[in-house]
Amino acid sequence: MPRDPGAGSERFKERGVLLRVFVYVFATHLFAGFIWLLFYVGGHRM
């Protein structure tokens, strides 16, 4: 039996999926921004 009574509900699972998607999208954009910054700095070196 889960500690949280709503842990097996669809709403709880949906919230977990939405949180995971948000984290993945945020991390992907952060990584892409870092790569873009590397290209930007590398392209403007003398």
Side-chain angles (χ1 to χ4, degrees):
M1 184 83 178
R3 278 190 232 163
D4 185 4
S9 70
E10 290 299 317
R11 184 175 294 272
F12 185 81
K13 292 177 185 176
E14 181 180 331
R15 195 176 71 188
V17 169
L18 288 175
L19 179 63
R20 195 172 300 130
V21 166
F22 177 75
V23 169
Y24 289 161
V25 168
F26 180 76
T28 302
H29 280 83
L30 191 65
F31 180 69
F34 177 69
I35 297 297
W36 177 83
L37 183 65
L38 288 178
F39 277 102
Y40 181 79
V41 169
H44 285 83
R45 289 191 74 179
M46 294 282 170

